[in-house]
Structure formats: structure tokens, C-alpha cells
């Protein structure tokens, strides 16, 4: 795994005219090295790739990090970086501009006086945008676990439970079935709270005759799933059934038409245009989707502002919604892989209008 990814990163170094690249982001460190510890740095040069970590992790790093040289760094890791840099004046070393704080940058500049620090954007993130077969297999399992969790919660949820009770039951199910954790704070939004796109589970008691939106995912073996379903309890306001049908139509239309070569903006419009046509455009205030992988929000984006082109191997969410303040809301979300000809679904939970 590591070697192929590192050679792709070396190509990025060449394109930027860099002799070395320092990786400080924990997720990118894991992606390049396989090391899952909480602390460490990756240094890639023309000839070598090093994983620097501290005393606590030397055994673990040696076991996990295949194809990289594991180095125990000194009290200040940046001093060890200086020793490992290629010889010579003005060595150009890239750093992750989205990850490095200003105070860290000043410390690096002080320690690496002989080198030239070059800010680089998304060097590893751009590689992570394309999932290989191994990654897709893990993401398929993370999606299957989310689907199983949804089936489970439909057998458990009932009026009188709080949203938090439901959230806890879902968390427990995911973790007892192999998840490290949920991939983000689970959204359980019932009644008028379902009009809040990010209504993280609260102490509200779930009642009859209302909608409940679940937006959740499992973090499994380093990869996230992210699924949203909206269900009815009893006989809610008929207006809610109306918006359910519109959101479902928009979501299914997007899934049927997204294909490689389209921009994120064009994908977003597939869902948005339908919602606008029914007169609910102003009640769909977020983007249609986002990339998914080791993090729950990655590149590319399916939004009005996105010129990114969909290409095979990308994994994205498709999640239109309509939110009516004081009444309730609906969101329906699946995880998909862009394929050579269209898409393939990772999540399979039923989207039929479900009344419990």
C-alpha cells in the first residue's frame, strides 16, 4: 500500500520542484504509512520515506508501517527532520498549509534556517480522492454496517425515547459490530427539530405523528460511511409526506444521472433543479454532497461552487433535503462510487416512505 502512495506523492514533489515534503496531518500520515498511532510525522524525500514517532510507538510503528523507515525522533521532532533532509543549501521542503498552524510554522522556519519552507495545498488529499480496490472494500463494509444499524434502530425506536437514547443505541450497535466509533456526532432530529439540517441528538422526547431524520455513519478500519434516512412515526402532517416524495425524486434523479466528466456543480443541479421546480428551493440550503473516505468530509464537493470533475474511483455522498421551520424536514443520503459509466451504490437501506 504505502509504496504506491508514496511514489505518487513523489511525483507531486517533482511537479512542485520540492526536494522533500513534511506530512503533519494525522490522517495523511496514516494514509501514507499505515501507522495508526496518535503522534508522528512523515518525511518524503527523493530517495527515502521516513515515519518519525516517539518512544511510546516504536513497536507499533515497526509492525504497522510497511515500506517506510521508522525513526525515533528527538525531543523536538523538527531537529530530527533537519538531520534527515537531503544535504545542501536551500533545500526546498513542502509543508501542509491547511494543517500547520502559524506558531508551528515559525518553529519550523527557525529550526530549518538552511532550508526553504514551501506551503503546499492538498498534496495528499488529492491522492486520497481516488479510492483503490482495497479502500473501496473497506468503505463497502463501513456502509454495510451503517445499513445494518438503520435496520436495527427501526426495530428499537418508539415514542417516549429521547433522541439521545436512540443515538446511544445506534452507537452501541456500531461499536459492538466492529466500528471504532461513529464517524461523526449522530444526528437524530425528530418533530420540528427535523427542520434542522444538523440537529445532533438532543434530550427531546420523540412523540407520535412526526418525522425523524437519522444521519449517521460508522468509522470502520479507518474509513467512514455517512447515510441519512427520514421516517414517519404515526400520521404526520401531510405536508411532510409531500416534501418526502420531492426529496426522494431529487435524490433518485441525481443517482440516475451522475457520471464521470460532470462537475460538482452539475451534480448539485441534478437534485436542486427538481426541488426548485416544486417551489422549495429556498428550503434546501446546503450542498448536494461531498467526498467521503478516511474523513467524513473530503474532496470533491457536489455544490453550486464546485468546478471539480467527477472521475472514476471517487466516493461521494448524495443528500438533498427540504427543511420547513416549525414543521419538520427530510433528507435522504447515500454513499456512491463514481464508476467508468455512472455510479455504484455503497449504501442500500430502503428509501420507501416508512411509517412505524
Amino acid at each position: 500500500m504505502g509504496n504506491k502512495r508514496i511514489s505518487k506523492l513523489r511525483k507531486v514533489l517533482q511537479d512542485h520542484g520540492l526536494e522533500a515534503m513534511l506530512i503533519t496531518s494525522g490522517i495523511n500520515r496514516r494514509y501514507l504509512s499505515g501507522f495508526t498511532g496518535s503522534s508522528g510525522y512523515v518525511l518524503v524525500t527523493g530517495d527515502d520515506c521516513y515515519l518519525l514517532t516517539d518512544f511510546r510507538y516504536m513497536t507499533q510503528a515497526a509492525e504497522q508501517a510497511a515500506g517506510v523507515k521508522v525513526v525515533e525522533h528527538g525531543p523536538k521532532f523538527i531537529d530530527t527532520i533537519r538531520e534527515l533532509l537531503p544535504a545542501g543549501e536551500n533545500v526546498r521542503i513542502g509543508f501542509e498549509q491547511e494543517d500547520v498552524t502559524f506558531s508551528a510554522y515559525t518553529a519550523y522556519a527557525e529550526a530549518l534556517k538552511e532550508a526553504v519552507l514551501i506551503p503546499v495545498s492538498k498534496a495528499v488529499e488529492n491522492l486520497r480522492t481516488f479510492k483503490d480496490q482495497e479502500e473501496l472494500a473497506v468503505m463497502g463494509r463501513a456502509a454495510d454496517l451503517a445499513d445494518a444499524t438503520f435496520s436495527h434502530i427501526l426495530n428499537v425506536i418508539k415514542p417516549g425515547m429521547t433522541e439521545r437514547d436512540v443515538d446511544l443505541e445506534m452507537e452501541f450497535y456500531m461499536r459492538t459490530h466492529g466500528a471504532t466509533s461513529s464517524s461523526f456526532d449522530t444526528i437524530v432530529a425528530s418533530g420540528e427539530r427535523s427542520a434542522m439540517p444538523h440537529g445532533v441528538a438532543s434530550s427531546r422526547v420523540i412523540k407520535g405523528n412526526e418525522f425523524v431524520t437519522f444521519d449517521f455513519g460508522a468509522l470502520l478500519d479507518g474509513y467512514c460511511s455517512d447515510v441519512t434516512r427520514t421516517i414517519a412515526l404515526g400520521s404526520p402532517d401531510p405536508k411532510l409526506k409531500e416534501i418526502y416524495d420531492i426529496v426522494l425524486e431529487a435524490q433518485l434523479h441525481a443517482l440516475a444521472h451522475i457520471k464521470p466528466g460532470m462537475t460538482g456543480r452539475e451534480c448539485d443541479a441534478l437534485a436542486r433543479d427538481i426541488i426548485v421546480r416544486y417551489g422549495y428551493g429556498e428550503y434546501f440550503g446546503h450542498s448536494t454532497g461531498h467526498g467521503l473516505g478516511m474523513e467524513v468530509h473530503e474532496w470533491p464537493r457536489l455544490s453550486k461552487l464546485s468546478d471539480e470533475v467527477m472521475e472514476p474511483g471517487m466516493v461521494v455522498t448524495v443528500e438533498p433535503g427540504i427543511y420547513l421551520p416549525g414543521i419538520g424536514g427530510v433528507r435522504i443520503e447515500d454513499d456512491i462510487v463514481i464508476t467508468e459509466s455512472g455510479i455504484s451504490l455503497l449504501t442500500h437501506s430502503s428509501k420507501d416512505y416508512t411509517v412505524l
Side-chain angles (χ1 to χ4, degrees):
M1 169 203 77
N3 295 344
K4 206 156 151 197
R5 294 174 184 180
I6 288 155
S7 48
K8 284 183 180 159
L9 184 58
R10 283 215 174 91
K11 170 115 186 39
V12 177
L13 263 64
Q14 288 163 4
D15 295 345
H16 283 78
L18 300 171
E19 273 97 24
M21 177 88 197
L22 172 62
I23 303 298
T24 49
S25 145
I27 301 266
N28 291 341
R29 170 178 74 235
R30 177 172 182 172
Y31 179 77
L32 291 171
S33 70
F35 172 63
T36 62
S38 70
S39 178
Y41 307 87
V42 171
L43 178 71
V44 180
T45 65
D47 304 316
D48 288 303
C49 180
Y50 304 96
L51 170 68
L52 291 78
T53 187
D54 61 67
F55 167 82
R56 297 170 297 168
Y57 286 118
M58 293 310 289
T59 305
Q60 180 184 339
E63 285 167 5
Q64 290 183 324
V68 301
K69 296 181 178 173
V70 178
V71 176
E72 184 175 344
H73 63 68
K76 287 186 176 165
F77 90 92
I78 198 71
D79 294 336
T80 309
I81 293 283
R82 186 175 57 231
E83 292 159 23
L84 296 172
L85 282 179
E89 295 278 303
N90 298 334
V91 170
R92 287 167 59 86
I93 173 169
F95 68 93
E96 298 185 287
Q97 69 178 44
E98 276 91 9
D99 187 69
V100 173
T101 62
F102 185 70
S103 60
Y105 170 78
T106 45
Y108 301 167
E110 178 62 28
L112 305 176
K113 285 198 189 77
E114 309 294 307
V116 184
L117 283 167
I118 311 284
V120 180
S121 179
K122 301 205 226 9
V124 180
E125 284 82 352
N126 290 338
L127 303 179
R128 279 171 44 203
T129 302
F130 297 94
K131 284 26 180 205
D132 59 31
Q133 287 316 114
E134 207 177 306
E135 290 179 285
L136 290 175
V138 178
M139 293 196 73
R141 294 209 320 276
D144 291 345
L145 179 50
D147 285 335
T149 303
F150 182 61
S151 297
H152 172 70
I153 207 63
L154 290 184
N155 293 320
V156 172
I157 188 172
K158 56 181 189 294
M161 293 176 80
T162 67
E163 293 172 350
R164 273 208 194 98
D165 294 336
V166 172
D167 164 33
L168 188 61
E169 181 64 37
M170 293 168 76
E171 179 86 21
F172 187 76
Y173 185 90
M174 289 190 271
R175 292 185 68 163
T176 49
H177 289 80
T180 306
S181 65
S182 49
S183 43
F184 52 92
D185 287 343
T186 296
I187 292 169
V188 179
S190 60
E192 66 287 345
R193 286 191 82 251
S194 62
M196 297 164 61
H198 265 240
V200 170
S202 76
S203 56
R204 182 187 188 277
V205 176
I206 296 166
K207 306 189 196 65
N209 305 326
E210 60 185 26
F211 267 23
V212 184
T213 294
F214 308 87
D215 183 349
F216 63 98
L219 175 61
L220 183 69
D221 295 336
Y223 287 80
C224 298
S225 50
D226 181 3
V227 64
T228 307
R229 291 292 183 270
T230 303
I231 64 154
L233 294 172
S235 318
D237 186 327
K239 191 90 183 146
L240 290 170
K241 171 73 165 77
E242 180 196 319
I243 63 171
Y244 187 95
D245 293 339
I246 295 166
V247 170
L248 182 56
E249 183 183 331
Q251 206 252 1
L252 291 173
H253 181 77
L255 293 178
H257 293 89
I258 291 173
K259 55 180 193 293
M262 293 178 77
T263 63
R265 180 184 284 110
E266 289 169 326
C267 296
D268 179 78
L270 287 171
R272 193 169 304 280
D273 289 351
I274 288 177
I275 291 174
V276 168
R277 195 168 74 228
Y278 281 103
Y280 288 105
E282 66 187 289
Y283 302 103
F284 175 24
H286 57 78
S287 59
T288 292
H290 55 83
L292 185 70
M294 297 178 86
E295 291 177 287
V296 83
H297 290 105
E298 300 191 350
W299 302 96
R301 309 285 162 152
L302 276 54
S303 84
K304 290 191 259 197
L305 302 174
S306 168
D307 294 315
E308 295 154 311
V309 175
M310 297 302 117
E311 295 179 60
M314 291 178 171
V315 176
V316 295
T317 68
V318 179
E319 50 177 312
I322 295 174
Y323 311 92
L324 305 179
I327 301 173
V330 174
R331 181 167 64 259
I332 301 171
E333 170 186 28
D334 285 305
D335 304 338
I336 66 171
V337 187
I338 309 288
T339 63
E340 296 295 333
S341 56
I343 64 142
S344 130
L345 278 166
L346 289 172
T347 43
H348 302 287
S349 291
S350 168
K351 290 177 275 198
D352 297 341
Y353 183 67
T354 301
V355 181
L356 296 183

